[in-house]
Amino acid sequence: MPTIRIALLDMYNNFPNEGMRCIRQLLQQAEAANHVRFEVDTFNVRATAELPDLEYDIYISTGGPGSPLPSNEPWEPRYFDFIDALFAYNATAERKKHVLLICHSFQLVSRHLGLGEISKRKSTSFGVLPVHLTPAGHADPIFAQLPEPFYAVDSRDYQLTDLLPERLRELGVDVLCLEKERPHVPLARAIMALRFSPEILGTQFHPEADGEGMLRYMRTDERKQQVITAYGEEKYHEMVRLLATPEAIALTEATIVPSFLRRALAATSEPVLA
């Protein structure tokens, strides 16, 4: 049974979260489904400035709390040096490194590459929300498996908007999907996923979100009260309903990360010709 090395970049800065549980669960499922063994090392990036080297096969950089805007924190230049090294490696190597950037990581890398404007939203986007595919999304090997629209867990105070077309063309970046349509709101729609390269995928939403596990979590008295207090009872009940709908979060969870891992594993197992 082949062993695949995975670097999990924990961007949660020691804050409690559901994301790490969901990612680890998906990795366990992918091991069984693909008959491989994952050797997973976790790097506590923001709390201790830990970064992996380039000896791993797959990299997953998580979501996290806080601002993606420039800071003086010591981890930030090290993180961007690592991202630059990954892109540089893939530019010349025959066997590429596959990378998934989630939420906070997606925002950071988009800012670092100068793709558009990263800004704070007028209000938090929170809930199980529709996401709309672009033409590139409909043609993407992963996102083409999803309906139009599909549903995803969204939880963010910041957004990527006002993309620079010249920069996207220069880097070969494709826009895969946008946030829900808001015809009554005269604001730009946030970018919800980018394919930075054939091997590097980024999502603004949380593709790792586990509908069943999150439903249990949302139904706890403490979390229920937190959501109702912050967003209202109607928003709470809508989120619970969509978490329980198989065609919503369960479909997204079963598609994006598992497909990303399958594609990465297929590329890793291909022989490299001399």
Side-chain angles (χ1 to χ4, degrees):
M1 180 180 292
T3 297
I4 303 298
R5 299 190 69 204
I6 297 180
L8 182 52
L9 281 66
D10 179 354
M11 305 294 285
Y12 282 100
N13 203 21
N14 289 340
F15 278 79
N17 67 88
E18 288 290 296
M20 294 294 286
R21 176 189 65 79
C22 293
I23 292 169
R24 292 185 187 282
Q25 177 174 278
L26 285 167
L27 290 176
Q28 290 174 355
Q29 293 169 357
E31 275 187 306
N34 295 283
H35 308 291
V36 298
R37 187 177 78 85
F38 289 153
E39 179 183 302
V40 182
D41 292 329
T42 302
F43 298 85
N44 195 351
V45 177
R46 292 171 67 190
T48 62
E50 295 175 347
L51 272 304
D53 56 27
L54 294 179
E55 297 302 314
Y56 292 84
D57 302 297
I58 299 170
Y59 297 83
I60 299 176
S61 190
T62 75
S67 169
L69 300 179
S71 75
N72 294 319
E73 296 178 10
W75 63 269
E76 189 169 305
R78 295 195 62 198
Y79 180 76
F80 290 139
D81 285 348
F82 164 73
I83 293 296
D84 289 341
L86 270 177
F87 275 87
Y89 180 94
N90 279 356
T92 59
E94 291 186 72
R95 182 169 289 162
K96 316 291 187 184
K97 306 295 184 180
H98 286 249
V99 185
L100 178 61
L101 305 166
I102 298 173
C103 195
H104 193 77
S105 298
F106 167 85
Q107 294 170 348
L108 286 167
V109 174
S110 296
R111 170 171 69 82
H112 178 62
L113 295 178
L115 301 182
E117 182 180 1
I118 297 288
S119 60
K120 190 165 187 177
R121 291 175 53 87
K122 290 184 178 298
S123 61
T124 300
S125 179
F126 176 80
V128 178
L129 302 175
V131 179
H132 293 270
L133 294 166
T134 65
H138 282 291
D140 187 80
I142 293 177
F143 280 79
Q145 302 173 58
L146 294 166
E148 165 59 32
F150 65 94
Y151 284 85
V153 170
D154 196 21
S155 178
R156 59 192 165 90
D157 291 313
Y158 293 81
Q159 63 185 0
L160 170 63
T161 59
D162 301 318
L163 295 175
L164 300 176
E166 307 84 9
R167 185 63 173 154
L168 297 183
R169 285 193 294 270
E170 177 188 351
L171 297 176
V173 177
D174 288 325
V175 180
L176 302 182
C177 51
L178 304 171
E179 71 176 335
K180 66 180 181 178
E181 296 177 354
R182 300 175 296 169
H184 58 289
V185 179
L187 297 172
R189 291 166 70 190
I191 309 303
M192 296 303 286
L194 294 172
R195 183 164 287 287
F196 294 89
S197 74
E199 304 79 27
I200 302 178
L201 176 66
T203 68
Q204 173 64 88
F205 59 88
H206 288 273
E208 79 279 17
D210 163 22
E212 182 180 338
M214 289 199 66
L215 186 59
R216 288 195 303 270
Y217 175 59
M218 291 292 290
R219 282 175 166 164
T220 62
D221 291 340
E222 180 182 4
R223 186 57 176 154
K224 178 180 179 180
Q225 194 54 54
Q226 286 175 345
V227 173
I228 290 175
T229 298
Y231 304 104
E233 194 163 351
E234 183 178 351
K235 169 69 77 173
Y236 171 79
H237 289 298
E238 176 193 32
M239 195 165 180
V240 166
R241 177 181 66 80
L242 287 169
L243 284 171
T245 302
E247 296 79 14
I249 293 307
L251 178 59
T252 303
E253 177 202 359
T255 302
I256 295 179
V257 177
S259 296
F260 164 80
L261 291 170
R262 279 195 301 273
R263 285 172 53 79
L265 290 171
T268 301
S269 63
E270 289 176 359
V272 177
L273 299 180

